[in-house]
Amino acid sequence: MKELSKSLEKYLAAIYEIIESEAAARVRDVSEKIGANAASTSEAVKALVKKGFINYKPYGVITLTSKGRDTALLNIKRHEIIKQFLSESLMLEKDYSKELEFSMPDEVLDRFTAYLTFMQKCSCKEPKWLKSFEYYIKENKMPEKCAACKDGCKGCN
């Protein structure tokens, strides 16, 4: 069972990002970054303290515990994997990773990771079908060599 809800993961990621860029985070900073009201942010901060992800005293600065830092870094890695898959495998120019990362089941993310790892380690470096897919995306039609393949693709193997 996951220890953090998707909402608390977002708060933790925001705290991490603020601390990395500003060296310190306050509830007000987190509220602004997330776009949440102060009361909701205070409740999230209290929950993160209770679960051992952050240190915080009222009206003070927020710091990450080692557990909080490790979890935030895992979430950043998750974001990067999704972003890489969308741009390199699906060839999307717009970054949809922020929209997907907190709603994607772990099993799907694990499969993204396995696919990307395989593609990076594959001795083919760039399978022929990837070029055909790129053509299909750009031209909105099948490449001639693929359109001719009715009984199994010979051009991409």
Side-chain angles (χ1 to χ4, degrees):
M1 186 170 127
K2 286 187 86 168
E3 202 170 349
L4 290 179
S5 66
K6 300 297 181 191
S7 176
L8 288 179
E9 284 182 8
K10 287 181 187 180
Y11 280 100
L12 185 62
I15 291 166
Y16 176 86
E17 290 172 7
I18 293 166
I19 289 172
E20 286 297 300
S21 67
E22 306 294 325
R26 296 189 177 276
V27 171
R28 172 186 68 243
D29 303 325
V30 178
S31 290
E32 289 172 7
K33 185 155 187 77
I34 297 271
N37 64 44
S40 296
T41 304
S42 285
E43 288 304 311
V45 165
K46 288 176 189 173
L48 289 168
V49 168
K50 187 176 180 179
K51 292 177 179 281
F53 289 93
I54 63 172
N55 300 305
Y56 173 72
K57 300 255 191 257
Y59 307 105
V61 295
I62 301 168
T63 60
L64 292 165
T65 63
S66 59
K67 177 181 175 181
R69 183 171 185 74
D70 291 347
T71 302
L73 289 171
L74 281 173
N75 286 336
I76 289 167
K77 182 178 179 186
R78 177 184 181 98
H79 171 82
E80 289 303 315
I81 289 167
I82 295 167
K83 183 177 179 179
Q84 183 182 9
F85 182 83
L86 295 174
S87 67
E88 292 179 18
S89 298
L90 300 183
M91 299 174 195
L92 292 169
E93 291 181 22
K94 182 180 174 192
D95 182 7
Y96 292 98
S97 56
K98 286 277 188 199
E99 298 168 38
L100 295 173
E101 69 182 304
F102 294 108
S103 61
M104 184 175 289
D106 289 336
E107 181 179 8
V108 175
L109 180 67
D110 291 345
R111 191 59 56 96
F112 275 25
T113 303
Y115 176 82
L116 289 170
T117 301
F118 174 80
M119 293 301 287
Q120 290 167 351
K121 291 181 178 183
C122 179
S123 62
C124 299
K125 291 297 174 205
E126 188 171 282
K128 292 178 186 175
W129 62 265
L130 199 54
K131 284 280 188 209
S132 296
F133 180 65
E134 184 176 9
Y135 178 88
Y136 179 77
I137 294 297
K138 288 180 179 174
E139 302 297 327
N140 200 26
K141 65 180 184 178
M142 294 295 284
E144 285 183 34
K145 67 180 181 181
C146 293
C149 295
K150 300 266 189 249
D151 298 321
C153 188
K154 294 166 187 67
C156 297
N157 293 328

